[in-house]
Structure formats: structure tokens, C-alpha cells
Amino acid sequence: MKYKNFFEVGDKLEIEFIDGYIENDKRLTSQLMEIISEDEYVVAMPIYKGRLINIPKGSNVNISYSIQNKGIYCFDAKVVYRNSGDVAYIKIKQINETKIKQRRNYYRLHVSNKISVYNKEDFVANGYTKDLSEGGLKFISDVKLDLNTVVICKLLIDDEELTIKSQVIRSNVYEKNLEQFEISLKFIELSKNIRDYIVAYIFRQQRILRQKGLI
């Protein structure tokens, strides 16, 4: 059967096991190596904490990927071949239609992470995030930032500090504390590596929330 996907060779994928082979909250990062046909693909064997995860033939998996300005897509697949040689990979066969999780807006993960904001090299403010997406974030701060100001934000995720050039698109008084401000930033310069890191983090947190029945 023919399916429509939007990824290209080299794009990052997230793998989630449907049949319980591996705990669902593990962050399994992979990469599309080859498009064989409209329903068969070669995918790099995923790595978790520096260790190769060998996926057995016959496993059922869910594949997720993100396309900038389009959203997050996913589909189910069956592992039909496994190669454990020098270049470890699996061949998967898609078994249902590709679904879109987010069409117009990025998924916003409600999460509280530390953030520092700079105007070029000058420190401006500290704060904590209210939500995060691959397109931007909202944070709470003691300092008001002017609309359209371009800043450098340093965001802490899993002990990794990400440096991202951003633009202030909203800056309002925080309704829960009138002495603070709720500020929305749009990422305007985002490397592929940082974007992939944020997307993988959001995927992982979504899986944890789904496992707990919270989404």
C-alpha cells in the first residue's frame, strides 16, 4: 500500500515500541537512511545513552518525525529485517496511514526549565519556562522585555544549556503575580542540532505523560 510521508533521507526519527519490548519512556533516537518504496524504509538502529538498541525482527513500532512549519507526523510499522553488522539498521514496513499530531501550531509542552536572557553579551534577566515548543517558548521573569526585541536565550534542558537567538513576540504582566511578566519568545535562528534536541525532548516528555494517562 502507498502512504504519503514528508521526510527525507537523513531526517531524525523517534521510535516508540508498541509491543512493550522496551520501556516507553526511553528516548530512542534514529535516522532515516533510505526510502525503498512508499511503505518500506531503512532506519538506523536507535541509540539510547550511547548504547545500541537491537530491535528484533517482527517488532511493532511507532515512528514519529517533525517537519518544520508543518508539524509532527507519526505512523505504525513492523520491523521486517534487521542487520546487526558494522552499520546496524532495520528495515520497516508501514502498516497504517501517516497521521499529523500538530498541523498549524507547534505542540506546546508545559514544562518549567531555567532560562537566562541576554542582549548580545549583556545579561538581562533570569526566569523559568511556562511552556516550550520547537518554535519558541513562554517564560516568567521579574523583568519586562520590549516587544520585538531580539535576545539570546540560554535554556537548560536535561543539564544541557542551549543558546538560541530569539525575538520577543508578547510581553504581559503575569496574572498569577502582578510583579512578574509573562514573555513569549519566537526562535529566529535555530540550528538543526538544537532543533532536533528540543523535538526529541518534547517527544520523550509526551511519552511519559501518555504513560501516566495525563494526555
Side-chain angles (χ1 to χ4, degrees), residues 142-189:
D142 293 333
V143 178
K144 189 178 190 300
L145 300 182
D146 293 332
L147 197 64
N148 297 321
T149 300
V150 175
V151 298
I152 302 297
C153 70
K154 294 190 176 183
L155 175 65
L156 189 65
I157 296 180
D158 288 343
D159 297 323
E160 189 79 23
E161 187 178 74
L162 310 180
T163 301
I164 309 170
K165 189 174 182 180
S166 309
Q167 183 178 23
V168 179
I169 57 174
R170 276 184 295 276
S171 184
N172 302 312
V173 173
Y174 185 35
E175 61 181 10
K176 293 184 178 180
N177 184 341
L178 300 183
E179 294 183 354
Q180 292 184 307
F181 300 91
E182 185 176 281
I183 299 167
S184 295
L185 299 181
K186 177 178 70 174
F187 300 147
I188 56 176
E189 287 186 13

Side-chain angles (χ1 to χ4, degrees), residues 63-76:
I63 304 294
S64 298
Y65 62 93
S66 176
I67 301 297
Q68 193 168 12
N69 298 324
K70 287 184 178 290
I72 300 172
Y73 295 84
C74 67
F75 61 85
D76 293 336

Side-chain angles (χ1 to χ4, degrees), residues 44-188:
M45 202 74 82
I47 294 175
Y48 177 72
K49 292 186 176 180
R51 182 171 64 88
L52 199 68
I53 302 297
N54 287 307
I55 302 177
K57 180 181 175 181
S59 298
N60 293 311
V61 295
N62 180 264
I63 304 294
S64 298
Y65 62 93
S66 176
I67 301 297
Q68 193 168 12
N69 298 324
K70 287 184 178 290
I72 300 172
Y73 295 84
C74 67
F75 61 85
D76 293 336
K78 180 176 285 290
V79 178
V80 296
Y81 178 79
R82 180 181 76 172
N83 179 60
S84 301
D86 292 336
V87 180
Y89 65 85
I90 54 175
K91 184 166 74 172
I92 61 173
K93 186 175 182 65
Q94 187 167 346
I95 58 177
N96 60 12
E97 295 288 344
T98 302
K99 299 176 182 179
I100 184 167
K101 294 182 178 179
Q102 302 293 323
R103 184 174 299 277
R104 294 181 180 176
N105 299 315
Y106 297 116
Y107 175 82
R108 292 191 172 274
L109 175 71
H110 295 286
V111 64
S112 180
N113 289 337
K114 291 182 179 179
I115 182 175
S116 298
V117 178
Y118 296 79
N119 181 0
K120 294 184 179 179
E121 296 181 356
D122 297 328
F123 172 76
V124 176
N126 283 323
Y128 59 93
T129 61
K130 187 176 180 182
D131 61 45
L132 171 68
S133 75
E134 63 175 287
L137 59 83
K138 185 182 295 179
F139 75 103
I140 308 302
S141 172
D142 293 333
V143 178
K144 189 178 190 300
L145 300 182
D146 293 332
L147 197 64
N148 297 321
T149 300
V150 175
V151 298
I152 302 297
C153 70
K154 294 190 176 183
L155 175 65
L156 189 65
I157 296 180
D158 288 343
D159 297 323
E160 189 79 23
E161 187 178 74
L162 310 180
T163 301
I164 309 170
K165 189 174 182 180
S166 309
Q167 183 178 23
V168 179
I169 57 174
R170 276 184 295 276
S171 184
N172 302 312
V173 173
Y174 185 35
E175 61 181 10
K176 293 184 178 180
N177 184 341
L178 300 183
E179 294 183 354
Q180 292 184 307
F181 300 91
E182 185 176 281
I183 299 167
S184 295
L185 299 181
K186 177 178 70 174
F187 300 147
I188 56 176

